[in-house]
Amino acid sequence: CEEAACPNIGECWERKHATVMILGDICTRACAFCNVATGKPRTVDPMEPENLAVSVAKLGMHHIVITSVDRDDLADGGADQFVQCIRRIRETTPNTTIEILTPDFLGKPGALEAVIAAGPDVFNHNLETVPRLYPSIRPGARYFESLKLLERAKTLDAGIFTKSGIMVGLGEEPVELHQVMDDLRSADVDFLT
């Protein structure tokens, strides 16, 4: 929340909601819209799930959003760290709802399945922009792969709440935004921000 300079920080914290970023502070991609440093990430912190769970309990969080940098350097794209964080929070504060905002895990086999099996309450993966702008805005990702990830999450757990987000004002046309919304409806995504 603080690193992203989110303008809604007061509203969320007042409601005992927060967003945390796991897997370090260095991303393996260089998306045009993001200020996170790009480079070679450090080793994954094995204590991160425990430290996160302790923080959630101490702060009395009602809802936590867990996001991350992209970790294309890891065999599972960082999926296991999401799994461990979800499990540890469930053990310490079972009434806290957990939303995960994941990368695409670079389509690594088994990554999405492991994360969904861990039982988050909300699965979020942002499309960010329209397909035409991916090469300049999100060069390390593919629009239809991200869309397929959202669809697969719902296939793996029909009851999970799925969500995605897009930014506007990057040069997209209204017809392109309508197509994204149609694509998300076809993928059975529950909510768009």
Side-chain angles (χ1 to χ4, degrees), residues 3-84:
E3 284 121 345
C6 179
N8 302 319
I9 193 168
E11 178 183 334
C12 289
W13 285 14
E14 184 177 290
R15 293 169 38 203
K16 300 282 186 178
H17 294 189
T19 298
V20 297
M21 187 168 71
I22 63 171
L23 292 166
D25 59 358
I26 299 174
C27 187
T28 56
R29 300 190 193 173
C31 297
F33 60 86
C34 185
N35 287 328
V36 173
T38 302
K40 184 178 179 188
R42 295 187 246 328
T43 304
V44 174
D45 178 0
M47 291 304 297
E48 188 169 54
E50 177 65 23
N51 293 337
L52 176 56
V54 167
S55 296
V56 168
K58 280 186 178 179
L59 292 170
M61 303 305 303
H62 299 302
H63 181 79
I64 185 80
V65 179
I66 305 170
T67 191
S68 75
V69 293
D70 284 294
R71 290 297 304 259
D72 297 335
D73 60 312
L74 300 175
D76 66 353
D80 186 59
Q81 195 75 338
F82 276 94
V83 169
Q84 297 309 316

Side-chain angles (χ1 to χ4, degrees), residues 77-103:
D80 186 59
Q81 195 75 338
F82 276 94
V83 169
Q84 297 309 316
C85 288
I86 293 166
R87 286 182 180 159
R88 195 65 192 106
I89 291 168
R90 290 276 186 244
E91 290 169 0
T92 58
T93 55
N95 293 327
T96 300
T97 55
I98 302 170
E99 176 178 340
I100 55 171
L101 171 55
T102 73

Side-chain angles (χ1 to χ4, degrees), residues 113-171:
E113 291 79 1
V115 168
I116 297 298
D121 298 289
V122 179
F123 178 82
N124 185 353
H125 175 72
N126 289 338
L127 292 180
E128 308 293 7
T129 190
V130 300
R132 177 178 59 84
L133 297 176
Y134 260 62
S136 60
I137 301 297
R138 234 182 141 201
R142 301 294 173 263
Y143 176 82
F144 290 103
E145 289 301 314
S146 285
L147 194 61
K148 189 166 59 173
L149 185 81
L150 286 159
E151 189 172 37
R152 282 183 41 232
K154 190 63 105 170
T155 300
L156 291 167
D157 180 354
I160 196 166
F161 188 88
T162 54
K163 156 181 182 183
S164 188
I166 58 171
M167 297 173 285
V168 294
L170 302 173

